[in-house]
Amino acid sequence: MKNYKIFGLIVGQVFIGLGFGVLGFIITLLIDYLILWSLIGEKSSLFGSLMYASIGGYIGMVTGVGFDGYRYLKKNGRQGDFMILFLHSLLGFVLGFLVFFVSLKYTEGNIWVYFLAIGLPLAGTMLSFTYNLTSMVIEKDSQEKVNR
């Protein structure tokens, strides 16, 4: 896999992951509003609404990276590898969250905390997906060269 293809894959995953994350954030806020306010008649607290929306945003980020990765794998005829790569991206997502929570202790009151909250889980998700994808492609290419 050429370096420009890897760069294009990463950029696509960043934008699609962020787009799906914002979409998940908005959809979760709307669901929170529709269910609690319209149907039940109770208002959710601001903290509750933001927590639900954040969870929806993070689920949207992982879904966006998985969607872009599946689209790439389907284009190359390797849909069977998707579950392994998606599980690796979930592991990267959890590791990104752990690094974020550890860094909260040292960055209290700093503006960078907000960027870390979005950036680290997304980076963990897409980098683990892309790293494992490129290592699988390199391995299969080397096996094809040996078989020739």
Side-chain angles (χ1 to χ4, degrees), residues 24-119:
F25 190 88
I26 292 170
I27 287 173
T28 310
L29 273 178
L30 288 174
I31 289 172
D32 178 43
Y33 172 75
L34 290 175
I35 290 175
L36 288 176
W37 179 248
S38 300
L39 297 178
I40 301 173
E42 294 180 14
K43 281 188 177 180
S44 179
S45 67
L46 180 62
F47 179 76
S49 293
L50 289 177
M51 283 304 292
Y52 295 144
S54 298
I55 291 169
Y58 287 126
I59 290 171
M61 273 196 266
V62 173
T63 305
V65 171
F67 172 74
D68 188 53
Y70 182 76
R71 201 175 53 163
Y72 177 79
L73 289 172
K74 188 172 182 179
K75 184 174 73 173
N76 292 327
R78 299 185 48 219
Q79 302 91 289
D81 297 334
F82 175 72
M83 282 309 293
I84 294 169
L85 293 171
F86 191 71
L87 290 175
H88 284 225
S89 71
L90 287 176
L91 179 67
F93 178 73
V94 170
L95 288 176
F97 248 125
L98 289 175
V99 170
F100 167 64
F101 282 123
V102 168
S103 69
L104 274 179
K105 181 178 180 182
Y106 303 108
T107 58
E108 288 182 24
N110 196 340
I111 190 98
W112 288 103
V113 172
Y114 305 113
F115 295 114
L116 289 176
I118 296 169

Side-chain angles (χ1 to χ4, degrees), residues 115-129:
F115 295 114
L116 289 176
I118 296 169
L120 286 176
L122 178 62
T125 302
M126 67 177 193
L127 290 178
S128 63
F129 192 96

Side-chain angles (χ1 to χ4, degrees), residues 9-23:
L9 184 64
I10 290 174
V11 169
Q13 287 179 349
V14 166
F15 287 121
I16 291 177
L18 285 176
F20 271 63
V22 168
L23 192 65

